[in-house]
Amino acid sequence: MLPIRHEPFPLESRLSQIDRIANQTEFNGLKLLDGSFTSQAFQVGANAGQTISVNSIVDARAAALGRFSLVADGTVTGNVVLGSTNNGIAAEANLTVTVGSQTSGQISYAADAGANAIASAINTAAGSLGVTATASNSATLGSLSAAGVVSFSINGQAISANVTDTSDLTALAAAINGVSSNSGVTASFTNPSDKSQLTLSTTDGRNIAISAFSVSTAGTQTISFDGTTMTEGAAATDTAVKTGTIELVSAKQLTVSNANADVFPAAGTNSASFDAVSLIDISSASGADKAIKIVDQALSAINSARADMGAVQNRFMSVIASLQTTSENLSASRSRIRDTDFAKETAELTRTQILVQAGTAMLAQANQAPQNVLSLLR
């Protein structure tokens, strides 16, 4: 007998299951996970106003789960500036990030800052609001016009490589990787089957700056740096810098104010777009990578909601324990009252009454004796 093969559920089925759970989960006639459960108060005491309020439970529908993201890709960020190793980003002093009703303090960064420095400044000022800024940077290097000894500096680190064939930049990649610990830039082949083009990458999103490009072969040689042609022989064309981009991510809507267009898509105000779980597409590598980020943020939102519900549940459990203690004390008091030995108590009452009556009689006799004496004296 052939073993039964269990095929994984297709993406559409999984999304439908998420929606089914969100739309059908209910308690006491109230929907819990479809976003409609808001501002509910639970009576926990004997008097009015003694309640515990639950403001909201996360909307767990596939169209509501996801992340808000804003990519800071302006006129400088994400682009190559030719003729300088300074990217030309203007100094910032009053950038602000708003998440929901909370706003960060003023964010500042220096002129010519790299994407890594800008992301760090945003994380420092807005991290407490639930915003995460991540810088990334990569650039292609290829289309070398002639073989020869290729020389240039990358992020201040000088390299030299003897390239014998323009279709094979293995030696150049090795030279770049040899100084990567200082430059922060690594090289790999863009396409493993095509060694004529490299992809330069950074781990922290810093600038990728190439200066003083030259080739030992006679003539004026060129190379393509992320689509921009660098030409040896003049500082205006043999030097260039590629600035990375910054992605701001939050579980809630975020807005960036007082932004400069050299870093952000527009000057002034920029609002994040929502990437929903229901819209993920895994048909491409980039789509799958984005899907992982969206699902991670959705899981983070679910975990945060579970933590909030756990805290509320603990409050309910504390109230229940307190009420149980009160109930036990009342029951014990009632039991002590109902368990009284009435025969014993009646006998004790009779005894007490007899003693009181005897005492009263004796006191009356004692008061009568002086009267008898006085009657003899008359």
Side-chain angles (χ1 to χ4, degrees):
M1 179 183 292
L2 294 176
I4 298 176
R5 241 184 114 182
H6 296 280
E7 295 293 340
F9 288 112
L11 178 60
E12 293 78 9
S13 297
R14 293 181 181 275
L15 295 178
S16 297
Q17 181 68 1
I18 292 173
D19 282 336
R20 185 196 68 78
I21 294 173
N23 290 320
Q24 296 182 7
T25 300
E26 62 179 50
F27 173 76
N28 198 27
L30 295 176
K31 299 291 185 181
L32 298 180
L33 301 176
D34 66 350
S36 63
F37 190 92
T38 58
S39 301
Q40 299 292 334
F42 296 86
Q43 185 73 29
V44 295
N47 301 318
Q50 295 178 344
T51 61
I52 290 179
S53 298
V54 179
N55 294 326
S56 65
I57 298 178
V58 67
D59 189 342
R61 293 173 297 175
L65 287 175
R67 65 171 190 163
F68 288 91
S69 64
L70 172 62
V71 178
D73 186 1
T75 58
V76 174
T77 50
N79 297 298
V80 174
V81 175
L82 189 63
S84 175
T85 56
N86 294 325
N87 57 22
I89 286 179
E92 179 61 82
N94 62 347
L95 183 73
T96 58
V97 176
T98 301
V99 179
S101 60
Q102 296 180 299
T103 300
S104 70
Q106 293 184 336
I107 302 171
S108 61
Y109 51 82
D112 299 314
N116 56 326
I118 298 173
S120 177
I122 293 174
N123 285 329
T124 300
S128 60
L129 306 183
V131 176
T132 301
T134 305
S136 60
N137 194 11
S138 64
T140 57
L141 188 67
S143 300
L144 183 63
S145 61
V149 178
V150 179
S151 302
F152 56 80
S153 291
I154 183 165
N155 284 5
Q157 303 299 311
I159 68 163
S160 180
N162 185 16
V163 177
T164 58
D165 185 350
T166 58
S167 63
D168 186 359
L169 301 183
T170 302
L172 185 59
I176 294 173
N177 289 331
V179 297
S180 62
S181 60
N182 295 320
S183 67
V185 180
T186 58
S188 60
F189 293 112
T190 305
N191 184 347
S193 62
D194 180 8
K195 298 183 178 181
S196 65
Q197 180 173 277
L198 303 176
T199 295
L200 308 181
S201 305
T202 67
T203 58
D204 59 359
R206 70 183 66 187
N207 291 337
I208 301 176
I210 294 178
S211 60
F213 161 72
S214 68
V215 182
S216 61
T217 305
T220 303
Q221 307 304 327
T222 61
I223 195 170
S224 175
F225 178 44
D226 209 53
T228 299
T229 300
M230 297 179 64
T231 305
E232 66 175 333
T237 57
D238 68 1
T239 297
V241 58
K242 166 73 183 301
T243 303
T245 58
I246 305 104
E247 184 179 34
L248 281 67
V249 175
S250 174
K252 299 179 181 179
Q253 176 61 270
L254 69 90
T255 303
V256 175
S257 304
N258 303 322
N260 291 331
D262 53 9
V263 174
F264 290 89
T269 302
N270 293 262
S271 298
S273 59
F274 184 66
D275 301 322
V277 170
S278 61
L279 301 178
I280 61 177
D281 178 12
I282 58 174
S283 60
S284 64
S286 59
D289 182 67
K290 185 176 181 179
I292 291 174
K293 296 177 181 179
I294 295 173
V295 171
D296 281 345
Q297 187 64 52
L299 290 175
S300 177
I302 293 295
N303 290 336
S304 177
R306 291 180 64 183
D308 292 340
M309 290 301 99
V312 173
Q313 183 177 4
N314 286 338
R315 294 180 64 191
F316 280 127
M317 294 300 293
S318 177
V319 170
I320 291 171
S322 177
L323 293 176
Q324 285 178 337
T325 300
T326 302
S327 176
E328 291 173 0
N329 291 338
L330 289 174
S331 296
S333 300
R334 181 172 178 270
S335 295
R336 283 194 293 271
I337 294 172
R338 296 194 61 180
D339 292 345
T340 300
D341 188 341
F342 283 96
K344 177 182 177 182
E345 296 301 327
T346 300
E348 183 66 25
L349 176 62
T350 302
R351 174 179 171 275
T352 303
Q353 289 177 339
I354 292 172
L355 290 175
V356 170
Q357 292 174 0
T360 302
M362 293 178 66
L363 182 60
Q365 291 178 2
N367 289 335
Q368 190 176 2
Q371 296 296 330
N372 292 334
V373 173
L374 289 176
S375 65
L376 294 175
L377 297 176
R378 290 176 183 173

